[in-house]
Amino acid sequence: MSGFSQDFQNDLLDLMRWRRDVRRFRRDPVDEALLQECLATFQLAPSVGLSEPWRVIRLASDTARAAALANFRAANQRALDGYSGEKASLYSGLKLSGMQEAPVQLAVYCDDSTAKGAGLGAGTMPETRRYSVVGAITHFWLAARARGLGVGWVSILDPAQLGRDLAVPEEWSLVAYLCVGWPETDNDTPELELVGWEARQSDLIIETR
């Protein structure tokens, strides 16, 4: 295919603009067929050496979810302890995960020991396997947003503890903990920007050598 229409290009740009990190979810269930449509886009993602190193764990049990939530709360308290003054006050009021409400929760790992791909492209930069997982997550995120779903990436976690709680192989490294569901509201501005935590750069800085 040589190219896409201007309408499609505009819609794609809108999709990227509305692909926000969601922390506030409704508790309504997500249709399983719809979820599987979104998850299938992992298989469309590029990966170094065609290694497809992504491994997805779906947290469905109360036990697994409770362990992950306790992990977040402990890590979040440690993070808060690292701030002081106005930043600490602002941080304490932030909602930084939707783990209590999101109907779907996924832990996405990279299998650093995978034999698939025979190490092509990862010999000098093994971290490219993890970059491949991030690319697959982006595919999933855009597919979910296009269908009205919201996704939130929770990074305030102890990966080693989560790995023990989920009994994953030691060779797997945590890339993302994703909350998925129907957002309470839609907004094309990042929540951290709305509350004054940080501002988005207006232009991309490109250096020339």
Side-chain angles (χ1 to χ4, degrees):
M1 189 170 194
S2 59
F4 291 90
S5 70
Q6 188 61 54
D7 284 345
F8 177 87
Q9 294 175 47
N10 293 340
D11 288 344
L12 179 58
L13 203 57
D14 281 342
L15 178 59
M16 293 178 184
R17 187 176 293 114
W18 284 93
R19 184 227 52 83
R20 298 273 56 85
D21 192 357
V22 176
R23 287 97 180 253
R24 303 176 191 277
F25 294 92
R26 307 199 314 260
R27 295 179 183 269
D28 310 49
V30 175
D31 179 75
E32 186 63 24
L34 176 62
L35 177 63
Q36 292 303 321
E37 280 182 15
C38 298
L39 287 169
T41 62
F42 268 77
Q43 298 305 116
L44 300 177
S47 61
V48 61
L50 200 56
S51 57
E52 298 180 305
W54 40 79
R55 306 290 182 262
V56 181
I57 303 290
R58 185 171 179 179
L59 284 79
S61 70
D62 291 340
T63 300
R65 290 195 180 201
L69 181 58
N71 186 324
F72 164 76
R73 285 173 170 164
N76 193 47
Q77 183 59 53
R78 289 194 296 272
L80 174 59
D81 292 342
Y83 294 103
S84 61
E86 184 179 345
K87 272 297 190 193
S89 177
L90 185 55
Y91 185 95
S92 66
L94 295 175
K95 181 172 173 54
L96 296 174
S97 95
M99 296 167 76
Q100 290 181 270
E101 304 86 15
V104 177
Q105 298 181 36
L106 309 168
V108 185
Y109 284 84
C110 175
D111 182 357
D112 294 309
S113 66
T114 182
K116 195 171 190 302
L120 192 157
T124 52
M125 294 181 65
E127 63 271 23
T128 52
R129 292 193 186 99
R130 300 183 193 186
Y131 301 159
S132 298
V133 177
V134 174
I137 290 169
T138 300
H139 270 130
F140 168 76
W141 204 322
L142 291 173
R145 178 69 288 205
R147 291 160 174 79
L149 288 169
V151 179
W153 185 323
V154 182
S155 60
I156 306 171
L157 290 165
D158 178 341
Q161 183 61 55
L162 186 67
R164 289 190 292 270
D165 290 335
L166 299 181
V168 303
E170 291 185 2
E171 298 79 14
W172 291 13
S173 55
L174 180 67
V175 176
Y177 189 99
L178 303 178
C179 294
V180 184
W182 303 106
E184 282 187 353
T185 59
D186 289 318
N187 200 308
D188 64 353
T189 303
E191 185 168 342
L192 291 180
E193 188 172 354
L194 288 172
V195 300
W197 181 265
E198 189 56 89
R200 182 184 290 275
Q201 289 185 340
S202 57
D203 298 297
L204 174 65
I205 299 173
I206 302 175
E207 298 186 15
T208 302
R209 297 288 189 270

